[in-house]
Amino acid sequence: MINAVILAGSDKNKSGTPYECKALIKIGEKFLIEYVLDAVCSSKHISRRVVVGPVQLKEFLISRYPQVEFVAEDTSIMRNAKKAIEFLNDNKKILFLTADLPFITAEAIDHFIEESIKSGADICYPIVEKSINDEKYPQMKRTYGTVKEGTFTGGNAIIITPSVFEKCYSLAEKLVEKRKNPIAMARLIGPTILLLFLTKRLSIQKVEKRVSKVFKVKAKAIISTYPELGQDVDKDSDLMVAKFYLEKKR
């Protein structure tokens, strides 16, 4: 069993709702964060569930998800993650998810957790091949990077061992800032990685080895067949497309 943290920090209001929190945008029949909460609460591998976000989420959770704990947000994703780790005060691995994944399922989460535990790594990050995304969600726009094994996008999730968080904090904060720019991320990890990436000679294994060396941990990319892990809602256009797919599911 591991713990789960949903990062639901304040964001620009993109929906016309009275909330300044993206997590409380109404999409389909539910608020955006409810899709994530329902999946996390249905996972067979998660013991504690924590939401980090603005104070208006607290009453919402008390009324609808009393089994979910709440932590008031700080000023950045990394600071929110740190607050959650301190709040949990537990040695169990932690699954971090963003609150804007309207297609996420317990099955997708459980597969990622199971493969991560099998790997024995301190940090695990899901990646999904482009053809899988395009087949299931062709209208959802994603950022891709090409390596020897194919063209992949990253998920909006990560599993980390709490004890390694502090040593990773500084560089991880920079990587989070550049998460929509594969070239900038490669540059941060090192000039060799950047060169290999630009010449399409980079492999997943080389990235894992370099990240492990830089962070002084064991890092692993988990190839997932669940595109739901990466279909986040960043723009008004994403919101419209997400509504379209959710209506098709009914």
Side-chain angles (χ1 to χ4, degrees), residues 55-194:
V55 291
Q56 63 259 47
L57 276 175
K58 186 173 183 179
E59 290 301 317
F60 169 80
L61 292 171
I62 290 170
S63 63
R64 299 202 195 187
Y65 296 89
Q67 73 274 42
V68 177
E69 300 169 270
F70 174 77
V71 174
E73 67 178 338
D74 207 310
T75 56
S76 72
I77 292 175
M78 290 299 294
R79 289 183 180 181
N80 287 347
K82 185 176 182 179
K83 283 191 76 171
I85 290 172
E86 291 170 350
F87 175 80
L88 284 164
N89 191 28
D90 195 325
N91 292 325
K92 287 190 181 84
K93 290 180 181 290
I94 301 174
L95 165 68
F96 286 97
L97 290 162
T98 57
D100 58 347
L101 300 171
F103 313 132
I104 194 67
T105 64
E107 186 181 14
I109 289 171
D110 286 342
H111 176 266
F112 178 42
I113 292 172
E114 288 160 11
E115 294 303 307
S116 298
I117 297 299
K118 272 192 245 178
S119 75
D122 299 302
I123 298 175
C124 292
Y125 182 62
I127 57 175
V128 180
E129 213 278 323
K130 185 177 186 294
S131 64
I132 295 175
N133 272 312
D134 289 347
E135 181 180 357
K136 196 160 187 181
Y137 302 107
Q139 292 178 287
M140 292 294 283
K141 303 300 181 185
R142 297 292 300 156
T143 300
Y144 293 97
T146 299
V147 291
K148 279 186 176 181
E149 295 86 350
T151 300
F152 294 86
T153 188
N156 279 49
I158 193 168
I159 288 175
I160 187 167
T161 303
S163 60
V164 307
F165 183 79
E166 282 298 332
K167 71 168 75 172
C168 301
Y169 189 94
S170 180
L171 180 56
E173 192 169 39
K174 294 174 184 175
L175 287 170
V176 167
E177 289 173 4
K178 306 295 183 183
R179 64 189 180 278
K180 301 293 183 181
N181 187 334
I183 292 176
M185 291 179 73
R187 185 182 291 117
L188 280 169
I189 295 171
T192 302
I193 292 293
L194 177 60

